[in-house]
Amino acid sequence: MSGNIKLLSDTLAAAKAEGRSALIAYLPAGFPTVDGGIEAAKAVFDGGADVVEIGLPHSDPVLDGPVIQTADDIALRGGVKIADVMRTVREAHQATGKPVLVMTYWNPIDRYGIERFTAELAEAGGAGCILPDLPVQESATWREHADKHGLATVFVVAPSSKDARLAEITAAGSGFVYAASLMGVTGTRESVGEQAQDLVRRTKATTGLPVCVGLGVSNAEQAAEVARFADGVIVGSAFVKLLLAADGDLAAGLAGVRSLAGELAEGVRKHS
């Protein structure tokens, strides 16, 4: 069975055709529970997200700030497994028909087996994988399997990336390019600054892939700011914060993330 890279590409192209950025939401699998995480993914789609990234919880998430680390810890203590991540992808995609990716560090895939992971992700209807810590020069085997199964390989670029390095990364990637808007870890911020705009400009000079910006966006105004120059706006910590604040009241948490997705979806449409 082939994965949904085409659905991802078509979704991003449709947003561009509408003259707007795509809204991409991030949520960790298994948080607040496996079932709760599935419902949260459906809720952000209901609110207006175009794409959802499902995080594979990791004990040492180098890119993630304290909010997502807290959620990952809850998921890991709840016993989340890769099978639960696949189930989350499957059920979120089947319920909505929209593209769902997995965001994961390399070590869990390496342990699980590349062929097994890519085959199962494609079978679940996944659109691809975001791999923040897999060096491009060590990615050939992964990309071979991902291509075979119709999955996107999304690499992360940062403001520190030199132009030659950007070209190397974007040439190897597919689906879209994840532009980390600033140096550091994920989390909501007051402003998503000029560094992000410069990084998008430099990245776009090397590729025809959509360039989507993550790290720091938490409200409609910031989403509109980023949407002026990026093909997609990625929001994670702001959603996770709402689920954490609900403190076990899943209905309240779901209402919160659905509402925020709606506000952000309006934001990405207001930039023009």
Side-chain angles (χ1 to χ4, degrees):
M1 180 168 176
S2 183
N4 274 312
I5 186 173
K6 185 176 186 302
L7 176 63
L8 174 65
S9 298
D10 289 350
T11 298
L12 294 171
K16 185 174 184 178
E18 291 175 20
R20 65 174 180 88
S21 281
L23 174 60
I24 303 175
Y26 167 91
L27 292 161
F31 170 75
T33 62
V34 175
D35 288 343
I38 291 167
E39 292 308 311
K42 294 178 187 176
V44 293
F45 273 137
D46 288 347
D50 298 289
V51 180
V52 166
E53 304 171 6
I54 298 298
L56 195 163
H58 194 274
S59 57
D60 185 25
V62 292
L63 186 72
D64 297 309
V67 171
I68 291 173
Q69 285 188 28
T70 299
D72 277 6
D73 186 54
I74 290 168
L76 290 166
R77 283 191 281 117
V80 70
K81 303 281 193 297
I82 288 180
D84 300 314
V85 177
M86 299 299 180
R87 181 182 152 220
T88 303
V89 171
R90 177 181 291 106
E91 296 195 18
H93 170 63
Q94 286 181 347
T96 63
K98 294 182 177 179
V100 183
L101 300 106
V102 167
M103 185 166 186
T104 179
Y105 298 97
W106 181 245
N107 192 40
I109 294 177
D110 198 34
R111 286 206 313 266
Y112 198 71
I114 297 173
E115 171 58 22
R116 182 183 176 197
F117 190 94
T118 51
E120 289 183 7
L121 183 55
E123 191 275 328
C129 225
I130 302 162
L131 299 162
D133 66 341
L134 177 63
V136 168
Q137 60 270 28
E138 297 173 22
S139 68
T141 303
W142 161 267
R143 287 187 285 127
E144 177 188 333
H145 287 283
D147 290 348
K148 180 174 77 172
H149 289 291
L151 299 169
T153 296
V154 179
F155 289 114
V156 178
V157 297
S160 59
S161 304
K162 301 288 189 285
D163 289 351
R165 179 70 176 153
L166 288 176
E168 184 184 4
I169 293 169
T170 58
S174 55
F176 65 91
V177 182
Y178 186 126
S181 66
L182 36 78
M183 300 304 291
V185 297
T186 59
T188 59
R189 286 180 172 78
E190 294 301 312
S191 172
V192 188
E194 293 178 10
Q195 260 191 333
Q197 189 165 357
D198 180 63
L199 176 58
V200 170
R201 178 188 59 75
R202 292 193 299 118
T203 304
K204 281 181 168 288
T206 71
T207 184
L209 289 173
V211 181
C212 304
V213 170
L215 274 65
V217 176
S218 61
N219 58 46
E221 291 73 28
Q222 290 173 336
E225 176 192 348
V226 174
R228 283 197 291 272
F229 57 83
D231 299 301
V233 179
I234 302 168
V235 181
S237 295
F239 288 118
V240 176
K241 262 187 182 173
L242 289 169
L243 291 169
L244 283 168
D247 197 24
D249 184 345
L250 182 61
L254 295 177
V257 297
R258 188 180 293 110
S259 175
L260 177 59
E263 293 167 22
L264 293 165
E266 282 187 31
V268 299
R269 289 165 169 79
K270 282 182 177 171
H271 66 92
S272 54

